[in-house]
Amino acid sequence: MGHLGFSYVGFIYLIILFFPNIFWIKKKPIGYAAESENKILKLFERVGEGLVACTAVIFSDFNVRLDTWWSL
């Protein structure tokens, strides 16, 4: 676990997670203001997003391997 390399499965997962954000940008609720959000929670959210994105893409353990019993 933890082998460095590009993960195409992680990249596809991040692309799929990106689609709801595109819809949110286009269809925000009327009267929504981001200024009322908690600054600490917003910081934790941004740091978590960055760490998950990096982890999903730089570790090749998420890729499908056909040479193990787990992939059957």
Side-chain angles (χ1 to χ4, degrees):
M1 192 79 181
H3 299 99
L4 291 176
F6 181 73
S7 173
Y8 60 86
V9 174
F11 181 72
I12 292 169
Y13 182 71
L14 289 176
I15 294 296
I16 291 170
L17 287 176
F18 187 67
F19 284 126
N21 292 334
I22 294 172
F23 295 132
W24 173 258
I25 290 170
K26 294 188 184 273
K27 306 252 183 191
K28 281 187 184 176
I30 297 171
Y32 174 77
E35 292 83 25
S36 63
E37 292 183 3
N38 189 341
K39 304 293 184 210
I40 300 296
L41 293 178
K42 188 184 254 187
L43 174 72
F44 285 149
E45 182 181 8
R46 298 292 186 249
V47 170
E49 287 173 353
L51 291 175
V52 167
C54 291
T55 302
V57 175
I58 67 168
F59 290 120
S60 63
D61 295 323
F62 298 120
N63 292 341
V64 177
R65 292 193 174 90
L66 299 177
D67 59 345
T68 64
W69 287 103
W70 288 103
S71 61
L72 295 177

